[in-house]
Amino acid sequence: MTASAVEPAAAPAPERAEAPAGPVEPQVEVYGIRHHGPGSARSLLTALEAFAPDVVLIEGPVDADPLLHFAAAAGTAPPVALLAYAADDPAVSAFWPFAVFSPEWQALRWALGAGVEVGMCDLPAAQVLAPQRADLFDAEPPEPATDGPGAEDGAGVAPGGGAPGPAVAVADPDAALDPRRWARADPLRALAEAAGYDDPERWWDDVVEARLDGSSPFPLLTEAMAELRREVGRPAGKDALREERREAHMRQTIRAAVKRGRRRVAVVCGAWHAPALTWPLPPAVADARVLRGAPKRKVTLTWVPWTHGHLATASGYGAGITSPGWYEHLWTAPDAPVVRWLTHVAHALRRHDLVVSSAHVIEAVRLAETLAALRLRPLAGLAEVQEATRAVLCDGDDRAARLVTADLVVGEALGAVDPAVPMVPLEADLVATCRRLRVRREPKARVLDLDLRRPVDQARSQLFHRLRLLGIDWVTPADSGVDSQGTFRETWSATWRPALAVALVRAAVWGTTVESAATARVHDRLEGGSLVELTRTVEHCLLAGLPDALQRLFTVLAERAALDADVVHLMEALPPLARAQRYGDVRRTDTGALRQVSEVLVLRICAGLPQAVGSLDDDSAARLRGLVDQVGAAVGLLAEAAASTEDVELLAGTGLRERWLGALATVVDRRDVHGLLLGRVVRLLVDADRLDDVPARVERALSHGVDAAAKAAWVEGFFADGALLLLHDAQLRDLLDGWVTSLDEREFTDLLPLVRRTFGTFTPAERRSLAGRLVARGGPAASSPVAVELDEELAHGALDTVDLILGGAR
């Protein structure tokens, strides 16, 4: 059941008495609410029905008024948010979120359902997102029209998507202890302390959110906030100017409504602002002066889906709440919230295979209600039900209790917006493509296993790779957990976040569809991309299925490869091209042009390799050794790709491999090549069956005339990942064993880390098998044991422990 399905039915338009003759003094009712509070929302609906306003003004960006009617559209379901972004820089953006239990959302739905005029009254997004001058806040702020605003209440959201928290300028450490500053930063805490509470959340829940009867707390809240504002004053600097402008704009909006002939005005705003908006308002001259000269910029607004997780305080949202799931429950189940909640908890625990009975639920309800009574609370709150959950349903297990927090207390409900809501063409195309491919945008991480032999999965894979080219990380590659070397399988992890709406807007500059935008993005990379970047882009293009981009990319790549004389760059560029060859099998992509570029790169690498390997330091040799391995594997892939095609291409692939091995053979006898690289080259030629004097080479590399560090480097290059060679070649094994045993104590200590790094690449089974062969031939492990006196008393404790572990085998 969606959240919108359980909203209270919109009240019918109230009957109004005929207006008496003569001018009527306007009535302005200000309802100071807490953002995202279900108790506030319930009390607000009751108050609106009783007051029967002819206009409802809600705290929010006033330039969003043309979009408000979409809140009543059939396809819109909270949580949703108003998104505003700068037309010239979509990264500068702001969100105004609404949940089903948000008072602002309920006021908006009530007005739309009752046919009452409704609009926003806060600063327009054009001012919220406008760049501020560096010296703007250095001057003294204008004189306030009222008592002065307090700290930011979090209704507006700062550029970047997160609401700013309270900002209090502190000149020195002692000033931080000023209770007026502290109360201004958190006015709810000041009121809670005055009421004898140590937790402002619990005070607000008891006073406002626990009102299941819909009775009105607004007059008392306005009075309390007015007193608090008089006590704490107003913030300084930019906070003062921002708050002055916000409240001045709200008052000007109220005056405009009255000037239009509205006589019953309802204002829904954060409780902190309520005293500054009560009727009668001060003269408009001061407010006009505050608003004069405010910077603006061109912005675009729309509705976007939101999630409960991003309503939570933990997400960084300044007006966030700790428990969106609990608040939604209070809104949808006001008749028996504790019983229904603990029933949901039991279902959640059972889904995780934890045993919870009906008796557990009954005992948990009793415990929660008892705790509430002992604490003099009108209703068991989240703290009580969580304690009951942990003690009774989870048997004190914090891990099980955390499951409840993730599943229910916060929750991951994702809202929806009506298809008629204006959106950028790129997002519209993505929504249509996801609908066609049956890919859902979900807030919880979901793993997608794709079989590229199926057309629908192949189309999904292309969509995901196109989004990655555009920098939209909704779907990212994941580990399938299955050891598969096939090219027909892909695993992805998908998690939708509201901030991705901004990423879509930013990517919309490249095109109106996902395919055209990804193609344009590739064309843009062609201008300044290096050879390595271009080859990696080729791989992405093949995966994304962008044939138009590929053709131009092949041309630029061939030109860039012809001009780049750096062998290291060529070696880095080849592996992505070789990997891309295999995508022609499952994806049926023509890679003929790609094969030609790859062959040119191999030929140029072979020609330049002898000059690139001479006189290298340790770091350069290690880097080049890795590139040699990668190029060898790439040449093997090219040969495999050629073997699956026509005979001429088969000969070409075989020729590439011969050229590569020939290039390696030209450096195998050189003395100016680093031992690490030289050992690797010898090993590659041995594996290719191109050398028949391997024992002599190993003996020469480990002879007494060679530096110990050079020996260790040669051993690492030759034997790394080479356990099978040692296991099956007794002569090599004896040579290596003889070298290790011939090291003196100083050499052995110096070389031990290097040798351990080499043999650390062997698996435990390979090391055990190697040790067994050394023992079998009578090596050091099999030599006569040195007589050692065994201290049985000292060994007794260890033997008893082993016996206990083995279950008394002794």
Side-chain angles (χ1 to χ4, degrees):
M1 179 179 293
T2 62
S4 60
V6 294
E7 293 185 21
E15 297 182 2
R16 294 176 173 78
E18 292 185 6
V24 178
E25 181 68 19
Q27 299 182 45
V28 178
E29 289 289 337
V30 181
Y31 303 105
I33 53 90
R34 185 187 185 188
H35 306 289
H36 317 305
S40 296
R42 188 171 289 109
S43 298
L44 178 61
L45 285 180
T46 303
L48 289 175
E49 292 174 0
F51 179 54
D54 50 17
V55 62
V56 177
L57 302 177
I58 302 171
E59 183 180 321
V62 71
D63 43 4
D65 284 357
L67 298 173
L68 297 185
H69 68 280
F70 287 111
T76 300
V80 292
L82 282 169
L83 164 65
Y85 57 90
D88 57 341
D89 185 4
V92 179
S93 58
F95 294 96
W96 284 263
F98 302 92
V100 67
F101 48 82
S102 300
E104 302 96 328
W105 178 260
Q106 288 301 324
L108 176 58
R109 289 295 302 266
W110 181 90
L112 293 173
V116 174
E117 178 186 346
V118 62
M120 298 295 188
C121 61
D122 206 343
L123 284 175
Q127 290 186 23
V128 173
L129 300 183
Q132 307 292 337
R133 298 198 312 270
D135 61 341
L136 181 62
F137 303 119
D138 295 338
E140 286 295 320
E143 289 297 322
T146 61
D147 293 335
E152 173 65 60
D153 60 12
V157 194
V168 180
V170 178
D172 56 61
D174 294 335
L177 303 177
D178 183 353
R180 293 183 301 169
R181 291 183 179 274
W182 170 71
R184 182 167 58 242
D186 191 356
L188 287 186
R189 179 175 292 277
L191 292 176
E193 289 283 352
Y197 284 76
D198 58 356
D199 182 1
E201 294 287 335
R202 189 158 59 90
W203 172 79
W204 184 268
D205 283 344
D206 289 353
V207 173
V208 179
E209 306 307 336
R211 291 172 178 264
L212 301 181
D213 57 355
S215 57
S216 176
F218 302 116
L220 294 177
L221 284 175
T222 301
E223 183 180 350
M225 289 298 175
E227 184 65 26
L228 193 59
R229 289 167 69 104
R230 280 192 291 270
E231 288 292 328
V232 303
R234 61 183 177 86
K238 65 178 182 179
D239 291 326
L241 183 56
R242 181 180 62 228
E243 294 303 303
E244 290 287 347
R245 284 178 172 169
R246 290 186 63 196
E247 294 182 348
H249 194 279
M250 293 182 196
R251 286 190 292 268
Q252 291 288 59
T253 307
I254 296 173
R255 294 187 186 102
V258 172
K259 189 175 181 179
R260 291 196 307 271
R262 303 297 181 260
R263 289 297 176 262
R264 303 177 67 82
V265 182
V267 182
V268 181
C269 64
W272 179 260
H273 301 297
L277 307 181
T278 54
W279 193 267
L281 299 177
V285 178
D287 290 338
R289 186 172 63 250
V290 170
L291 295 171
R292 188 180 302 123
K296 295 182 181 180
R297 77 189 305 166
K298 187 177 181 181
V299 299
T300 303
L301 291 98
T302 186
W303 287 102
V304 295
W306 202 252
T307 68
H308 275 177
H310 285 80
L311 280 173
T313 305
S315 69
Y317 172 37
I321 52 180
T322 57
S323 50
W326 168 253
Y327 271 15
E328 182 181 27
H329 176 74
L330 289 180
W331 174 255
T332 57
D335 52 339
V338 176
V339 175
R340 291 172 183 254
W341 176 265
L342 290 172
T343 302
H344 292 323
V345 170
H347 286 303
L349 294 174
R350 289 168 185 165
R351 285 194 299 269
H352 290 282
D353 298 326
L354 298 175
V355 178
V356 180
S357 66
S358 300
H360 283 93
V361 176
I362 294 171
E363 290 301 320
V365 170
R366 289 175 177 171
L367 177 57
E369 292 176 345
T370 302
L371 289 173
L374 291 173
R375 295 167 182 174
L376 303 178
R377 303 195 65 180
L379 177 71
L382 182 61
E384 285 73 31
V385 296
Q386 283 188 311
E387 291 176 29
T389 297
R390 182 181 293 104
V392 180
L393 302 184
C394 300
D395 292 326
D397 188 348
D398 288 337
R399 292 175 299 176
R402 283 195 293 269
L403 295 177
V404 176
T405 300
D407 289 352
L408 296 179
V409 176
V410 175
E412 276 299 348
L414 176 66
V417 296
D418 193 81
V421 172
M423 61 180 69
V424 294
L426 177 64
E427 183 178 7
D429 178 70
L430 176 61
V431 171
T433 304
C434 290
R435 187 181 301 114
R436 175 171 55 85
L437 298 179
R438 300 188 298 279
V439 178
R440 293 185 297 174
R441 296 189 290 183
E442 299 175 315
K444 285 188 177 181
R446 183 185 180 196
V447 176
L448 304 172
D449 281 317
L450 304 183
D451 184 344
L452 300 183
R453 295 169 295 187
R454 301 175 57 210
V456 64
D457 280 353
Q458 191 173 132
R460 290 170 178 167
S461 173
Q462 289 178 346
L463 172 64
F464 298 159
H465 283 289
R466 290 170 182 174
L467 292 176
R468 284 176 58 78
L469 278 171
L470 292 172
I472 301 172
D473 57 347
W474 164 34
V475 187
T476 56
D479 185 5
S480 64
V482 179
D483 186 13
S484 175
Q485 300 297 322
T487 62
F488 61 86
R489 182 192 182 107
E490 283 185 354
T491 304
W492 299 83
S493 176
T495 306
W496 183 262
R497 304 184 310 279
L500 292 173
V502 178
L504 281 170
V505 174
R506 297 181 66 180
V509 300
W510 300 109
T512 57
T513 66
V514 176
E515 182 178 2
S516 65
T519 301
R521 185 72 182 91
V522 172
H523 288 168
D524 181 72
R525 289 185 181 180
L526 298 181
E527 302 301 326
S530 66
L531 179 63
V532 178
E533 292 172 343
L534 291 181
T535 55
R536 291 172 181 167
T537 304
V538 166
E539 189 175 8
H540 293 318
C541 281
L542 284 170
L543 293 167
L546 302 174
D548 294 340
L550 269 177
Q551 296 306 316
R552 185 178 174 190
L553 187 55
F554 285 152
T555 303
V556 175
L557 186 61
E559 296 173 354
R560 198 69 54 84
L563 297 176
D564 198 327
D566 192 325
V567 175
V568 173
H569 287 171
L570 299 177
M571 296 176 75
E572 290 177 338
L574 180 63
L577 296 181
R579 288 195 301 267
Q581 296 285 334
R582 58 183 182 173
Y583 300 133
D585 299 334
V586 175
R587 300 174 185 272
R588 298 185 293 276
T589 303
D590 183 12
T591 57
L594 180 61
R595 187 178 301 111
Q596 295 176 7
V597 176
S598 302
E599 292 173 0
V600 171
L601 287 181
V602 173
L603 296 178
R604 297 195 60 204
I605 290 170
C606 292
L609 184 65
Q611 289 75 32
V613 299
S615 304
L616 299 177
D617 57 18
D618 293 344
D619 294 337
S620 299
R623 180 187 179 193
L624 198 60
R625 174 211 162 180
L627 290 176
V628 166
D629 285 341
Q630 293 178 30
V631 171
V635 171
L637 284 176
L638 293 174
E640 290 179 12
S644 62
T645 56
E646 299 178 359
D647 293 341
V648 175
E649 294 177 337
L650 174 61
L651 293 176
T654 305
L656 291 179
R657 189 167 184 273
E658 292 296 328
R659 283 180 175 272
W660 171 244
L661 294 175
L664 294 179
T666 62
V667 303
V668 73
D669 292 318
R670 286 171 49 177
R671 296 183 177 274
D672 61 338
V673 179
H674 194 282
L676 179 67
L677 186 58
L678 187 60
R680 197 59 182 172
V681 170
V682 172
R683 170 65 187 280
L684 292 175
L685 292 175
V686 169
D687 290 344
D689 199 20
R690 296 304 177 93
L691 293 178
D692 53 7
D693 59 344
V694 179
R697 291 180 180 275
V698 175
E699 187 174 2
R700 187 162 59 247
L702 301 180
S703 62
H704 290 288
V706 181
D707 180 73
K711 294 178 185 179
W714 198 97
V715 168
E716 181 180 356
F718 186 85
F719 288 105
D721 302 319
L724 291 178
L725 187 64
L726 283 174
L727 288 173
H728 296 292
D729 193 324
Q731 189 175 8
L732 287 180
R733 189 169 61 245
D734 291 343
L735 287 171
L736 184 61
D737 183 53
W739 170 66
V740 173
T741 56
S742 68
L743 296 173
D744 59 33
E745 183 177 355
R746 182 186 59 82
E747 288 180 326
F748 183 81
T749 302
D750 293 340
L751 296 180
L752 180 60
L754 299 176
V755 176
R756 289 190 62 181
R757 184 172 63 188
T758 300
F759 290 93
T761 61
F762 300 171
T763 65
E766 289 171 337
R767 290 199 293 268
R768 284 195 301 270
S769 181
L770 187 59
R773 280 168 168 73
L774 291 174
V775 170
R777 77 162 180 79
S783 60
S784 317
V786 179
V788 178
E789 245 182 83
L790 180 63
D791 189 336
E792 294 187 5
E793 183 178 356
L794 190 62
H796 183 72
L799 292 175
D800 286 344
T801 302
V802 172
D803 183 60
L804 182 63
I805 293 173
L806 298 178
R810 215 164 40 102

